[in-house]
Structure formats: structure tokens, C-alpha cells
Amino acid sequence: MPDNILELRDVKTHFTVRSGLLRRREVGAVKAVDGVTLSLARGEVLGLVGESGCGKSTLARTILSLIPISAGTVVLNGRNLSQASSEEIAASRRDLQMVFQDPYASLNPRMSVFAALSEPLRVHGLCPPNETPERVARLLETVGLPTNAMRKYPHEFSGGQRQRIAIARALAVGPKVIVADEPVSALDVSIQAQILNLLSQLRRDMGLSLIFIAHDLSVVKHVSDRIAVMYLGRIVELGAAAEVIDTPAHPYTRALVSAIPRPDPDSERTRQRIVLAGDPPSPMNPPAGCAFHPRCAFAVPQCQAAVPALEPFRGREVACIRVSEI
Amino acid sequence: MALLEVNDLKTYFHTRSGVTRAVDGVSFSVERGETLGIVGESGSGKSVTGYSIMGLVPQPPGRIESGSAVFDGVDLLRCSPAQVRAIRGKRVSMIFQDPMTSLNPYLRVSTQLIEPLLIHEKISRMEALARALEMLEAVGIHDAAGRIHGYPHEFSGGMRQRVMIATALITRPALLIADEPTTALDVTVQAQILELIRTMQRELGMAVLFITHDLAVVAGLCTRVQVMYAGRIVESADTRTLFYAPKHPYTRALQASIPATQAKGADLRTIPGMPPDPSRPLAGCAFAPRCESAIASCSAGTVELAPIGPGHLQACARVQRGEI
């Protein structure tokens, strides 16, 4: 049995941009994910952070084969999904599930909770029909909802409860890996804490591995073992969660961490903040070399020469040629 | 006298399914030049408070049931429409969460920027355009001269928020009401916009009423903070007191549920249950059903905001009695 439940090798997801009459002329490609290599250990929580447009959600969808991969491989539990047939991909969903950001959009409003939770059991043939109600009831208990919830419809629940239903649906097939794309961003702070606790409890009890995507770094730090920071389709820093957030090495991670407001008035008033100029560049036309160099305070001419590789640096990996000098 | 004085504001929405008490008796004041934060979760009534002051509550179904909002001697809730028009957009401006929906996609940025000037000041189009350009540069749009005649979709999210701030500040208002202006933005862009609001505030000497759900944003920006729950203010204090010595159980629970304040990996403190349904008002303290310090008497009687220290008000009866 391999140590890593999930391995990504040089994954690329490019979208062709077409123009002209009937959109037949290819005018370029958006390199949403451009060479990501990552591994996820059994029982590990890997946080994936970055600004909007950095490719973190595209990467999540690529892992699930919801978007076709352009190059590279996704290996789940020893099986290569990037060359798999659609039947094999369908079967892989037993091991790999996703929870989306917006629980208002990810549940079918016309399906009762029972219908929503029993569908994956039926599709994968996991449970004889006469035992289904019992299984659904146990799923609801697992996520902290009363069993009578199964007769209700999504509109009867609040955002936090809907997110619990979405998690129960992902758990129905007994997955080994869950990819959670901004699962708490749409929720209020007090509800957010409930869902985060639920996710860590599930991980403890069921040995789940999680890829946790969020833009809120303090949330990611709290739940993750390791954190990968993405910028414009590539990973720029990867390391233990507390280290990456407390002592960021890559100039982009430093800026990102320094931009997080802290719920502490005294430290807010005294600390120096790195305010990044401008917006992230377009992934259709990324800057030459290191994509971060136009916004980077430490950039030198060599930064434009080549795309820096992710290299070991003080117990983590960083993609910056100047990391040891700055 | 305070710049804005809100007294016992009640804004209810009369719908077919009943009366929703969105804002249920809110009183506060904003001094000249200060930044007051209003923090609350969705449905706490923080945004409706801002809308009520600006006269933007759709009526019907909304109705201002009672109260006053006295801005520089004029009660915004009771004065004539002409008086409101002379103040709104001129001396009190508002910015919103989503600049894509609050800028008109069919109008050039320049048209939207000069509109408040043409309405409120005796100024020629040329002069107005010159002021607009100046303002656009002040909010940090590069190549303002080249972009001023562009349309909103040609700007990124952060840039659109800058344009909206420019539109709101072009008349040099005395009060800016900011309703979650950075919620839709990335953290790095959020840091830029907060810095911009701070700078503009210093330059214009204006007061800011900053409405947000994010306690962390309030920490670095506001001089005073008030926390709302179920249409009422439950605690109000200067920022340091609110963060370092909060008294109301809701404020304390809210603070404890932020991951940044907790040890990594430990279970987060949660507030059980959900905020109450504002169409079914509860007797007594609205937070009582979720409060770990609640006792039977909390669900009866009225709850009043009372002083507990200098400039520090809170609404928990048990704290007032010194029990917790």
C-alpha cells in the first residue's frame, strides 16, 4: 500500500481561448494550473491557499476529473486517473469526493435530504434498498444532524446545516480523500467554527485525508498539517502549516500573510504591513520568469530569466531564486 | 454635538409571512472624524442600520417604525425629500460590498464619478471632470487619465472598489457609511482598500461607519466598535476594550470562534445553534438560547444596554448584576 493516498505529478490544466467567427481560431491558452506536483499522505490535511484566479479551484476540479487534465498525472491510491476510462473515473469517486463552497448551489433544491444522501449509495451499489434509511440516518448523525432531517428539503435548512448535508453526501460512499473547496467561506464566523470542528473530528474518527482550499489563511493554518501556497497556477511555497504562516519564506507568502488582518488592535497598530501593488497578472499572459516578479519587492533582473523551481529550503520547499538572500 | 446621532431606530419589514424586526431599537452616535465599526453576523441588522440612515430601505415592505437619525442638526428620517437629497451623496456617502452591482455597467466611469458633483455643486462639466480625474488618482488608479472614460467591466474587482470609493468621496462627505466594502476582495486587495480608506479619512477628516462581519478588520481600523445581534446592539466600547476586555457573552463567544485566536489543532469554541428568526422575536435576551451563561430569568423581561465602564456599554443582565 503506497504511503501517499494521492499524488499529483506536474499537473497542468490549460484552457484554450478562441476568437473569431465561430470561435475557430485559437488565440492563446489560460494556464490555470501550470505544473503542480503534490502528494497527500494518508490522514493528512493539506491546505491550499492563494488569491482568486491562482488556480486552486481549477486544481481541485482537475483532481476530481471534473475538468480534463492537459498534462501530468493524478495517482489516487496507486491508480493513475489521468489515463483512466470514464468507468474507472466513476469508480474512483468512491475514494475521492468533493465539498463545494456554496451549500445553496451544491444541493438540488428538489431532492429531499434522503434522496440526496441515498443517491450515491445507489449509484455505487453500496447498500441494499431496505438498509438505505438506516445508513442515511447514521450519516446524518455523523455530521450532527437529527435523523428526521432526511424527510426535509434543502430550503428548510440554514447555510451551516446545508454544508453538513453536503459533507454527509460526500461521506456516503466512504471516501478516503475529500477535496473541500472553500467549505466555510460562505458561512458566518460562529457557524464556520462548527463546520471546521466537524471536519477535524471526521478526520480523526474516519482517517480521512483532506485537501482544504481556502483564501482565509488563519482558517487554513488551523486545520492543515501542511500548506501549499499557489500563485498564478504554480506552487510557490510548501511546508508545515505553522511554519509557512508564522515564518513565510517566499516574498508572495510574506505579503499574503502580512495582509491578513488580525483580531488584535495593538499588534494591528504597530506592525509593518507589506502592501502589494497592483492585481495578480492575467494567467493568459503571465510575466516571464517568476510570475510574481512585477509585484515583488526583492525582484532582480535574473528573476525574469526562468521560472524558478520549487526547491528545498529550511525544511520546506520554496520557488524563489533569492530566498536564501532575503 | 456628535456628527450623527441615532436614537431608538426601529426598522421592520412587513411581509406576508409576518413582521421581521431587522433593526429593533438601536441608539448610537458617530463623532466627527472617528471610525465606528458595527460588527455582526448575517441577519443581525447591521446593514439595515446603514440603509435606514441613508434612506435606502425599500418602503414597502420596510418601514421605519420609530427613532431618529440626526445628522448635523437634521433628522434624516423625518426631513423632507429635498433636504435628504441635499445631504445624501453630498455630506453622507455610502459604499457597498459588491462594486459590480453598485456601479452602473452601462455608464462610463467618468459619468458616474461626476454625477454627484453635477447634482450637488454649481460646477461645469469640465471642472467636474478635472475633479474626477484628481479623485481617481487619489484612490490609486494608475493611468487615471487614460482609464477615466472606461466602463466598469474594464476594471478588476479591487479597481472597481477604488472607483466606487472615488465616487463616494468626490463631494468630500463628512460621513462615509461603508457596508462590507472588502468582503468580496482577496486579502491582499483588502489590505490595499483598507489602507486607502484610512488615508482618505485622514485627508478629508471624515467620519466612517464601517459595517462588517469580520472582527479582525475592525481591530486595525476602528476607534470604537459595537456588536449587533438580532437587531440590537449588545456591546459597545472602544476597540481595545472590546478586544481585550469584552463583557457580553456573545462578543466573547464570537471572538473565541475565530481560528486566529485559538491554538492550532484544538477544537474551536463554537456558538451552538443558530441566530434567532427575526420574524419571531423572543422575550428577554435574544442570545439566551445559545448562551452558556444563560439562566431562566434571561428569557424574560426587557434587556437594556447599560454602562459598565467609561464609554463601555453592554446588554447582558447577568453581567450588569455582576454575576458573571
Side-chain angles (χ1 to χ4, degrees), chain A residues 29-308:
Chain A
V30 172
K31 298 177 175 176
V33 177
D34 199 25
V36 166
T37 301
L38 264 182
S39 61
L40 180 70
R42 286 172 198 280
E44 182 185 37
V45 180
L46 177 73
L48 200 55
V49 299
E51 293 174 276
S52 34
C54 74
K56 54 194 196 299
S57 292
T58 305
L59 180 62
R61 284 165 172 74
T62 306
I63 295 171
L64 270 287
S65 315
L66 296 173
I67 297 176
I69 192 168
S70 306
T73 51
V74 175
V75 179
L76 173 71
N77 212 8
R79 275 180 322 212
N80 188 342
L81 295 184
S82 26
Q83 283 142 20
S85 65
S86 49
E87 288 80 25
E88 286 174 296
I89 286 174
S92 78
R93 300 262 160 80
R94 270 197 64 180
D95 290 337
L96 190 57
Q97 283 284 317
M98 185 153 178
V99 174
F100 296 89
Q101 172 173 358
D102 185 356
Y104 292 84
S106 62
L107 294 171
N108 185 336
R110 306 217 283 188
M111 277 169 96
S112 69
V113 171
F114 177 79
L117 296 188
S118 59
E119 188 182 46
L121 296 172
R122 198 180 65 242
V123 166
H124 289 278
L126 293 176
C127 181
N130 58 346
E131 287 170 27
T132 308
E134 174 57 29
R135 275 288 278 278
V136 171
R138 262 188 289 136
L139 277 170
L140 287 169
E141 277 167 17
T142 314
V143 296
L145 287 173
T147 52
N148 65 13
M150 71 170 89
R151 286 188 298 275
K152 296 186 183 171
Y153 285 84
H155 74 265
E156 298 174 67
F157 297 93
S158 69
Q161 290 172 320
R162 284 181 208 213
Q163 201 56 295
R164 286 177 192 269
I165 297 168
I167 292 171
R169 186 172 153 93
L171 292 175
V173 294
K176 298 188 174 66
V177 180
I178 287 186
V179 178
D181 188 4
E182 303 264 12
V184 298
S185 313
L187 307 175
D188 271 317
V189 200
S190 69
I191 309 297
Q192 180 178 314
Q194 297 176 4
I195 299 295
L196 292 174
N197 284 351
L198 172 65
L199 286 173
S200 16
Q201 178 210 329
L202 293 174
R203 172 212 185 180
R204 273 197 308 270
D205 298 352
M206 312 172 93
L208 277 177
S209 309
L210 269 171
I211 293 186
F212 188 94
I213 301 173
H215 65 275
D216 185 335
L217 285 125
S218 53
V219 168
V220 178
K221 178 189 168 191
H222 189 84
V223 299
S224 311
D225 299 309
R226 283 189 306 152
I227 289 182
V229 183
M230 277 184 83
Y231 189 75
L232 223 62
R234 293 170 178 275
I235 291 175
V236 296
E237 183 160 354
L238 173 67
E243 281 178 35
V244 170
I245 302 296
D246 296 339
T247 56
H250 193 282
Y252 175 64
T253 319
R254 294 185 193 191
L256 200 59
V257 168
S258 118
I260 318 170
R262 288 183 217 156
D264 182 352
D266 285 351
S267 84
E268 278 294 295
R269 244 144 246 190
T270 49
R271 77 196 173 112
Q272 283 292 325
R273 184 172 269 139
I274 311 165
V275 176
L276 279 183
D279 295 312
S282 151
M284 205 176 139
N285 188 15
C290 170
F292 185 59
H293 84 259
R295 303 172 79 192
C296 180
F298 306 99
V300 291
Q302 293 97 290
C303 292
Q304 303 177 34
V307 178

